[in-house]
Amino acid sequence: MSGTTAGRPLRADAERSVRAILAAAERVLAANPAASVEQIAEASGVARTTVHRRFANRQALVDALAASAVRQLATAIEESRPDSSPALVVMHRATANVIRVKGAWSFALNLPAREGGEAAAGWAEIDRRCLELLAKAQAEGVIDPAADLPWVARVYYALLGEAVHGRPEGEEVDPEALAARIVDTLLHGAGPRR
C-alpha cells in the first residue's frame, strides 16, 4: 500500500500520512489487537476520514501494515549485501538488521499472511533469499556440506524469534550482540569449541 494508491504514486504528504497511520497501527494494535480504526486514526494524528480514504476497511489497513513490515524486513536483508559480501559477514549483518526491524514491527510481522496477498509473497521471497544465503555459506565452507538447508533455515528462524520475543520485558536489545550469538549458535551449537 505504501507508495501507491490504485497504481498511482502518492503525493509526499499522502505518503507521510500513510507512514504515520501504519506506525500508529503497529503501536496501537500491539497494545490492543482489537483496537478500532478510529483509535488508530487518533494515535496517528490524522482524521478518521483520512484513514478510510487510504484504506477501504480495517482488514485493508492490517494487510497494508503486514505488507509494509515485510517490505522493510526484505530491505533490511538486502542492505546486508548478500550478493557481494562473504556469507559469514552477510549472516551477521542481515541478522542484526532483521532484529532491528522485528523489534520495531513485531505485531505486523507476527500477523498470519493472507494467501495470495503482498505479505505472503514477501515472506516467500524472504524464505528464498534465506536459502540462497545458506547455500552460499555452505559453498564457502561456513556450513557443513551435508547440512539440510531447509532445516538450518528453520533453526535460524527459531533463534531469531527467541532472540526478539524470548527476552525479559524491558531488557535492552543490542542487535549486533544478539546477531553474533544467533550466528554463533547456528554455526556451532552449544557443544564445546574445538
Side-chain angles (χ1 to χ4, degrees):
M1 176 72 182
S2 183
T4 63
T5 298
R8 296 185 317 264
L10 293 176
R11 295 183 331 258
D13 60 332
E15 180 69 26
R16 280 190 300 275
S17 291
V18 168
R19 281 195 310 266
I21 292 164
L22 294 176
E26 170 66 29
R27 288 188 316 274
V28 171
L29 293 171
N32 176 11
S36 68
V37 171
E38 290 73 20
Q39 291 169 301
I40 294 167
E42 184 179 325
S44 67
V46 302
R48 181 177 49 90
T49 55
T50 300
V51 176
H52 286 293
R53 191 172 32 243
R54 299 290 171 224
F55 307 99
N57 53 45
R58 186 179 188 282
Q59 187 60 54
L61 172 58
V62 170
D63 290 345
L65 176 62
S68 175
V70 170
R71 280 193 306 273
Q72 290 180 54
L73 193 61
T75 298
I77 293 165
E78 293 307 315
E79 286 173 352
S80 69
R81 296 189 302 273
D83 297 324
S84 61
S85 297
L88 188 57
V89 172
V90 175
M91 289 174 75
H92 179 82
R93 282 184 195 151
T95 302
N97 292 348
V98 164
I99 289 168
R100 287 182 187 96
V101 173
K102 281 184 163 281
W105 298 94
S106 62
F107 176 82
L109 291 171
N110 283 313
L111 290 169
R114 288 171 50 116
E115 191 172 328
E118 185 181 345
W123 281 117
E125 179 62 14
I126 288 169
D127 287 343
R128 186 187 69 74
R129 291 296 276 160
C130 180
L131 286 171
E132 282 180 358
L133 173 58
L134 294 174
K136 179 178 180 173
Q138 196 172 45
E140 291 178 12
V142 175
I143 294 175
D144 187 275
D148 176 358
L149 295 184
W151 176 254
V152 174
R154 289 176 61 193
V155 171
Y156 175 68
Y157 292 158
L159 290 169
L160 271 170
E162 184 61 26
V164 173
H165 303 295
R167 63 185 191 283
E169 187 75 27
E171 180 182 309
E172 287 295 316
V173 175
D174 178 354
E176 298 296 328
L178 278 176
R181 290 178 77 182
I182 290 168
V183 171
D184 182 62
T185 303
L186 181 68
L187 298 178
H188 305 292
R193 302 295 189 256
R194 295 187 175 127

